[in-house]
Amino acid sequence: MKLSLTGNYSLGGVITVWILCISALITTVQSARADEAQNSIRTIDLSTFLNGEVIAKLTLDKPLVNLPVGMVLDNPHRIYFDFYNVSNKLGKNVQEAAEGDLRSANIIQVGDRTRVVLNLARLMRHDIRAENNLVFIRLVSVAENSASNAVVRFAEESPNKRMNSLQDIDFRRGPNGEGRVEVDMTKAGMSVDVQQQGEDIIVEFFDTLLPASLIRRYDVMDFATPIHTIETFKKGDNVRMLVKAGGRWEHSARQSGTRFVLDVRALSEDEEEQAKRKRVYGGYTGERLSLNFQDVEVRAVLQVIADFTNLNIIASDSVGGNLTLRLKDVPWDQALDIVLQAHDLDKRKNGNVIFVAPRKEMADRELLDLEAKMQITEMEPLRSEIYHLNHRRVNSMSFEGMLSQRGTINIDEISNTITVTDIPVRLEEVRKRIQRLDVFERQVMIEARIVEAIETFSRNLGARFGIQNATGLGDQRLGISGSATGSSALAGGGAAGGANNLNVNLPAAAATGLLGGPAALGLSLMKINNGRLINLELSALETDRKGRVIASPRVVTAHGIEAIIEQGDRVPYQQATSSGATSIRFMDATLRLKVKPLITHNGQIDMELNVNQDKIGVPINQFLPPPINTKQVTTKVLVENGGTVVIGGIFDRTENEVVNKVPMLGDIPVLGNVFKNTSKQDDKRELLIFVTPRILSDSLNLQ
């Protein structure tokens, strides 16, 4: 900066000019810093997936120049990220997580820096990436040492313990058109969880029995309320009620004694308009106003907004300065944010009171409040609670990261109980985790049916033919004889005679596996003038067999646990060693079903299957072990509860036709059938494997 002075001036005037220039320079630097710190965090969304992965999505006003680096801390496990030149516009400092290994997120602003602290239940790996003005933080659980991986399971509940039970479910239309669901229970003060998922409301009654008469689906659309259907069913040890609604609505729930009431109310036109404004104006819902001020005090603008909204706005003593603005038809809450951003201010709302102060002052106050709460936590007296475990053992669930530094946990495997000593807030977190995870381990019955259909057909035709001298001339014959192999000869005087004085010996062959031979029809024809006999024997055999072999192995296993059922023989055989000696070895020829089922969130069953059926074949010789005829299928399928799927099929067909005949004579039309035999075979085999999974209820009955 260059400053030149001309004309007559005094020393006091020069000092005054220099002070004005320095003030202008400071104001320019502050304005530049204010412009640089315009970025802010607007929302944080925490999502947990089925594989345990957690995604934290941060929405900012504009993209970041540099991504922050995560710092990992333990005892307890935490990961924090420092966002420089970014302010906290969430309106709160803590955001709770619904479930998973991410417990909560703390957002603390100190000066021009905002720190996001992720509080974890266990050690997790992280990575961070940005897309435009969105920042995604991904958390994945990693294995720790055996002590860290020790988890707690809960034993089955004592049968003498009296559980809560639903008595009645009633629906009625409220005086203002709202849908009201009233549930009567047997015990007061039971835990009930209500959450909204899209257009559905899920009500979970913990440790509750459901009578068979209440397992049904109610259609209540005729009542003209937002509620369309109500469905109640068992979910482990809990009872789940699924309420489906339509349109735009809001819900509220209350519990008094043994009665639980859920109200679903349609939004009014004003409320619908407010929701529409929020969508149109990027989250702002206030009435629109116009402001046109030239060099006006910030406090005066805050007073105008307070008069317009009828809200109580309290400004800190450190709030000051002037500003010039021209706003036309903008929501008042957006105008207030613009004014606060222009002078590095922040606000906190409590009811109809808004407190305004500089960001640093607001952050310092909240930091002091947080430190005071932490000091109170350190000084708060400890309590001990004993949790009786219901369905799991004491080595399957982790409580790491949930206890304070003074908290302790004691596991008793004999009685399946957990004793926790900590402050009341931490004890409540432990109780909620036990209540959420201590559920019945669902089981599945898998039944496989191996069907082998066999159909065989064979037809054999043949004849034996000869000419005999019936005048006592001895055994002189003139004819043709042959065998089933097709050889034939012309002979005289019986040199080639066949059995029973028949010269053509081509009978029908016996079918494989049958004890008896083919049926035969014999005829003797005599010529009177020379006393010769013509002997003819026709034989025919036709067999048709149909059979079906069924094997049906079934097994029951828990969700995610592999099960194997096997039945069959172990076939011994001799095996030579390098020294020349022999040893006895065994081969398995078994019927085996191996399956690993996974129950999906929508009640379907994902199965990894291996079905194997082996049979002992016919040995080739005495020196080799018998062959093993194998039928096997390995696959992975998704099946609905109680559904049947065909996971494999093999179709085998064998056709064979054989003709044995005397050359030339067997080709004579019609008469040639006497000089040949035929054999026809048509065998069909078909193998099908059916699998039917069924989910078992808590009482081990089929659902």
Side-chain angles (χ1 to χ4, degrees):
M1 176 180 284
K2 182 178 179 182
L3 178 65
S4 60
L5 300 175
T6 59
N8 297 325
Y9 53 87
S10 62
L11 180 61
V14 173
I15 295 174
T16 302
V17 171
W18 276 106
I19 291 174
L20 291 175
C21 292
I22 293 173
S23 300
L25 180 61
I26 294 174
T27 303
T28 302
V29 173
Q30 290 178 346
S31 299
R33 289 182 177 178
D35 292 336
E36 187 181 17
Q38 288 298 314
N39 203 2
S40 59
I41 300 175
R42 290 292 179 178
T43 61
I44 293 182
D45 296 322
L46 305 177
S47 303
T48 302
F49 299 93
L50 293 177
N51 60 357
E53 182 178 295
V54 180
I55 299 294
K57 183 179 75 173
L58 286 72
T59 305
L60 291 84
D61 291 335
K62 56 185 179 181
L64 290 174
V65 178
N66 297 313
L67 283 176
V69 178
M71 302 298 295
V72 180
L73 303 175
D74 56 4
N75 196 23
H77 292 296
R78 290 164 292 167
I79 302 176
Y80 71 85
F81 302 82
D82 285 334
F83 293 80
Y84 291 92
N85 299 322
V86 175
S87 61
N88 176 17
K89 287 294 183 180
L90 295 173
K92 58 184 177 180
N93 292 328
V94 179
Q95 177 142 343
E96 299 292 338
E99 57 183 1
D101 291 327
L102 176 62
R103 297 300 175 208
S104 61
N106 296 102
I107 307 93
I108 303 174
Q109 179 182 346
V110 179
D112 61 347
R113 180 186 65 179
T114 297
R115 172 170 291 184
V116 177
V117 182
L118 304 178
N119 301 307
L120 310 176
R122 55 183 298 181
L123 180 65
M124 303 187 78
R125 185 177 68 252
H126 72 277
D127 58 63
I128 183 171
R129 62 183 178 88
E131 293 181 4
N132 298 325
N133 64 325
L134 300 178
V135 176
F136 297 90
I137 301 174
R138 176 173 171 265
L139 303 175
V140 179
S141 300
V142 297
E144 302 179 56
N145 55 42
S146 57
S148 300
N149 282 333
V151 286
V152 182
R153 284 189 178 268
F154 306 102
E156 290 190 353
E157 181 183 35
S158 171
N160 296 326
K161 179 180 177 180
R162 180 173 176 265
M163 296 180 63
N164 181 40
S165 176
L166 300 189
Q167 286 186 317
D168 190 23
I169 300 175
D170 189 21
F171 176 83
R172 62 186 62 187
R173 189 176 189 272
N176 297 320
E178 70 271 14
R180 177 169 297 176
V181 182
E182 298 180 353
V183 181
D184 291 329
M185 302 176 289
T186 58
K187 298 178 67 175
M190 295 302 297
S191 298
V192 182
D193 179 56
V194 182
Q195 56 180 322
Q196 180 179 347
Q197 293 184 0
E199 296 296 322
D200 301 338
I201 303 174
I202 297 177
V203 183
E204 194 93 8
F205 299 89
F206 295 96
D207 292 330
T208 303
L209 300 176
L210 180 63
S213 59
L214 298 181
I215 303 177
R216 56 176 301 184
R217 183 175 180 268
Y218 301 87
D219 189 341
V220 295
M221 289 192 64
D222 294 340
F223 287 82
T225 70
I227 299 179
H228 291 171
T229 61
I230 305 169
E231 186 176 1
T232 311
F233 52 90
K234 284 288 293 181
K235 186 71 173 179
D237 269 352
N238 306 333
V239 174
R240 176 168 292 184
M241 176 180 290
L242 180 62
V243 179
K244 290 185 176 293
R248 300 193 59 82
W249 46 266
E250 65 177 7
H251 72 278
S252 61
R254 61 185 183 275
Q255 186 175 355
S256 176
T258 59
R259 170 162 290 194
F260 170 81
V261 179
L262 173 68
D263 287 332
V264 180
R265 182 179 65 87
L267 295 178
S268 62
E269 294 183 0
D270 294 340
E271 293 168 331
E272 178 68 21
E273 180 65 23
Q274 187 177 10
K276 182 179 179 180
R277 288 180 192 169
K278 191 172 183 179
R279 296 191 298 270
V280 173
Y281 295 105
Y284 295 105
T285 60
E287 294 288 339
R288 288 181 291 178
L289 56 75
S290 298
L291 297 175
N292 190 353
F293 293 107
Q294 183 74 25
D295 194 23
V296 66
E297 291 185 353
V298 174
R299 289 178 172 272
V301 177
L302 296 178
Q303 182 63 41
V304 171
I305 295 176
D307 294 338
F308 181 81
T309 60
N310 292 324
L311 292 175
N312 301 312
I313 297 181
I314 301 175
S316 173
D317 294 339
S318 54
V319 175
N322 296 349
L323 80 163
T324 299
L325 75 162
R326 182 179 184 275
L327 302 175
K328 184 176 181 180
D329 291 336
V330 298
W332 69 263
D333 45 357
Q334 185 180 11
L336 178 59
D337 282 348
I338 293 173
V339 172
L340 298 181
Q341 292 174 9
H343 281 265
D344 198 22
L345 302 175
D346 205 349
K347 71 177 186 296
R348 296 292 182 269
K349 185 177 180 181
N350 186 7
N352 64 342
V353 178
I354 298 177
F355 178 70
V356 178
R359 286 198 180 100
K360 186 177 184 308
E361 179 182 338
M362 189 79 73
D364 291 341
R365 289 189 179 189
E366 292 176 346
L367 185 59
L368 290 175
D369 292 341
L370 182 60
E371 292 177 351
K373 291 180 180 178
M374 293 179 63
Q375 291 177 358
I376 293 174
T377 300
E378 293 177 356
M379 300 299 296
E380 191 173 3
L382 300 177
R383 288 173 45 193
S384 295
E385 290 286 347
I386 299 177
Y387 300 97
H388 297 278
L389 314 181
N390 295 327
H391 298 289
R392 302 195 179 189
R393 306 303 302 171
V394 289
N395 57 358
S396 63
M397 188 169 63
S398 174
F399 293 95
E400 187 175 355
M402 300 187 64
L403 304 181
S404 65
Q405 296 182 356
R406 298 188 295 157
T408 60
I409 185 170
N410 181 39
I411 295 175
D412 184 17
E413 296 185 359
I414 298 178
S415 60
N416 260 337
T417 58
I418 297 177
T419 303
V420 182
T421 301
D422 210 331
I423 59 177
V425 176
R426 301 288 185 173
L427 292 177
E428 181 64 19
E429 293 182 4
V430 172
R431 185 192 66 81
K432 289 181 179 179
R433 184 174 180 85
I434 292 175
Q435 192 176 58
R436 184 171 62 250
L437 299 181
D438 179 22
V439 295
F440 175 76
E441 194 169 17
R442 307 182 73 182
Q443 300 187 24
V444 184
M445 184 181 71
I446 299 98
E447 180 181 3
R449 291 186 297 277
I450 304 173
V451 180
E452 184 178 9
I454 303 172
E455 182 177 350
T456 64
F457 173 81
S458 64
R459 175 184 296 163
N460 299 324
L461 298 176
R464 298 200 296 173
F465 169 73
I467 300 175
Q468 180 182 4
N469 189 350
T471 60
L473 296 179
D475 197 19
Q476 295 180 356
R477 291 169 293 165
L478 177 63
I480 301 172
S481 67
S483 64
T485 60
S487 63
S488 63
L490 291 175
N500 298 325
N501 297 322
L502 298 176
N503 301 101
V504 177
N505 188 22
L506 293 172
T512 303
L514 293 181
L515 297 178
L521 174 64
L523 298 174
S524 293
L525 304 176
M526 183 187 342
K527 190 173 182 180
I528 303 298
N529 58 358
N530 58 8
R532 294 184 180 273
L533 293 178
I534 300 175
N535 296 328
L536 175 64
E537 181 182 278
L538 301 177
S539 59
L541 175 66
E542 181 175 320
T543 60
D544 189 1
R545 291 189 300 170
K546 295 182 180 179
R548 186 175 62 174
V549 180
I550 298 180
S552 182
R554 65 182 67 183
V555 66
V556 176
T557 183
H559 165 78
I561 304 299
E562 184 179 77
I564 299 176
I565 185 171
E566 188 172 11
Q567 179 188 11
D569 300 321
R570 302 199 69 194
V571 183
Y573 67 94
Q574 289 185 348
Q575 186 179 42
T577 62
S578 58
S579 62
T582 58
S583 61
I584 301 298
R585 298 300 179 94
F586 291 89
M587 292 187 305
D588 292 334
T590 60
L591 169 65
R592 183 178 63 177
L593 170 64
K594 181 169 70 173
V595 60
K596 181 180 180 181
L598 294 174
I599 303 175
T600 63
H601 67 282
N602 59 353
Q604 292 184 317
I605 304 167
D606 187 359
M607 296 180 294
E608 296 179 4
L609 278 164
N610 178 270
V611 183
N612 190 83
Q613 186 182 31
D614 297 338
K615 292 183 179 180
I616 304 174
V618 180
I620 300 175
N621 56 53
Q622 60 180 348
F623 303 105
L624 294 176
I628 303 298
N629 301 325
T630 300
K631 302 178 184 69
Q632 181 178 359
V633 60
T634 300
T635 185
K636 181 178 181 181
V637 293
L638 180 65
V639 190
E640 64 181 3
N641 181 26
T644 300
V645 61
V646 182
I647 65 171
I650 300 175
F651 181 77
D652 182 18
R653 182 171 185 175
T654 302
E655 291 183 293
N656 190 21
E657 185 172 358
V658 179
V659 178
N660 297 319
K661 63 182 179 179
V662 177
M664 298 180 63
L665 296 178
D667 296 329
I668 301 175
V670 181
L671 185 60
N673 293 325
V674 180
F675 300 95
K676 66 181 177 181
N677 69 358
T678 61
S679 174
K680 184 177 181 181
Q681 180 184 3
D682 186 1
D683 295 344
K684 300 176 184 177
R685 291 176 178 269
E686 187 172 8
L687 175 67
L688 297 174
I689 301 177
F690 302 86
V691 176
T692 303
R694 294 182 176 89
I695 300 176
L696 302 181
S697 65
D698 302 354
S699 57
L700 299 183
N701 294 323
L702 295 177
Q703 287 189 356

